[in-house]
């Protein structure tokens, strides 16, 4: 399969997911003259949406740049990509759970919601690791312009994020807010890992970043 069809399909999935995320917004119930307090009460939804949008956007940047180095796609890459996209499309559900649990303020519910989000994030990172490992062992799929050192520089990033989300799950049983902090840190880590990967890819291709 040509890489342009592969990228077009994946881009479509990311676009649909971001659209689904924003559909969680609804006009709140409020009495006349009380719209502002009703909107402010929706802060958990705004916060969880902002983090989820940032997360999905970063994953799309990863996907776009990483797969731009491929010259062709085989069946296994397609199957791994479908698994990866499946894991990413799950994000809308934990986003809604976190927003609802934060609104209720119930500790047990928040604990459950954050752990579900952690599990989905951990699953996503694991699928990236599987894809990285497969392409590292099938160098014939990559563009000749990309050096062999590229994978070595980024291969542990998915493992690091799996560790962060694993720690977040464990910590959440003890402290909900510390677990939430680790979850947010994992999401932010992806962005800095993307910047490093993008720079490494440019250097690998002999382009000044």
């Amino acid at each position: 399969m040509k890489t342009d069809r592969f990228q077009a399909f994946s881009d479509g999935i990311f676009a649909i997911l971001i659209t689904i995320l924003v559909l969680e917004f609804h006009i709140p119930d409020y009495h006349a003259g009380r719209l502002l307090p009703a909107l402010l009460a929706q802060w958990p939804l705004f916060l969880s949406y902002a983090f989820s949008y940032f997360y999905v956007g970063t994953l799309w940047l990863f996907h776009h740049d990483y797969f731009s180095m491929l010259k062709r796609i085989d069946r296994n890459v397609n199957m791994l990509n479908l698994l990866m996209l499946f894991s990413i499309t799950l994000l809308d559900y934990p986003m809604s759970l976190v927003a609802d649990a934060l609104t209720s303020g119930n500790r047990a519910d928040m604990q459950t919601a954050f752990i579900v989000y952690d599990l989905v994030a951990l699953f996503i990172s694991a699928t990236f690791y599987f894809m990285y490992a497969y392409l590292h062992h099938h160098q014939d799929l990559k563009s000749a312009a990309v050096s062999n050192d590229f994978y070595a520089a980024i291969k542990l990033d998915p493992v690091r994020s799996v560790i962060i989300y694993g720690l977040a799950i464990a910590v959440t049983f003890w402290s909900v807010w510390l677990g939430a902090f680790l979850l947010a840190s994992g999401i932010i880590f992806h962005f800095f890992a993307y910047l490093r990967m993008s720079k490494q890819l440019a250097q690998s291709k002999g382009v000044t970043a």
Side-chain angles (χ1 to χ4, degrees), residues 84-97:
M84 181 187 296
L85 294 174
F86 168 73
S87 68
I88 296 171
T89 58
L90 295 174
L91 273 173
D92 177 64
Y93 184 60
M95 184 199 85
S96 300
L97 288 179

Side-chain angles (χ1 to χ4, degrees), residues 156-189:
L156 292 180
D157 284 344
V159 176
R160 292 186 181 101
S161 59
V162 165
I163 292 173
I164 292 172
Y165 295 126
L167 285 174
I169 292 171
V171 169
T172 300
F173 286 105
W174 172 64
S175 170
V176 171
W177 294 114
L178 184 55
F181 173 78
L182 286 173
L183 170 60
S185 298
I187 293 173
I188 294 171
F189 166 78

Side-chain angles (χ1 to χ4, degrees), residues 50-71:
F51 265 97
S52 296
Y53 183 92
F54 176 73
Y55 189 11
V56 174
T58 301
L59 292 173
W60 175 76
L61 290 171
F62 257 114
H63 193 282
H64 180 272
D65 285 15
Y66 186 77
F67 291 105
S68 68
M69 70 177 185
L70 300 184
K71 62 182 179 182

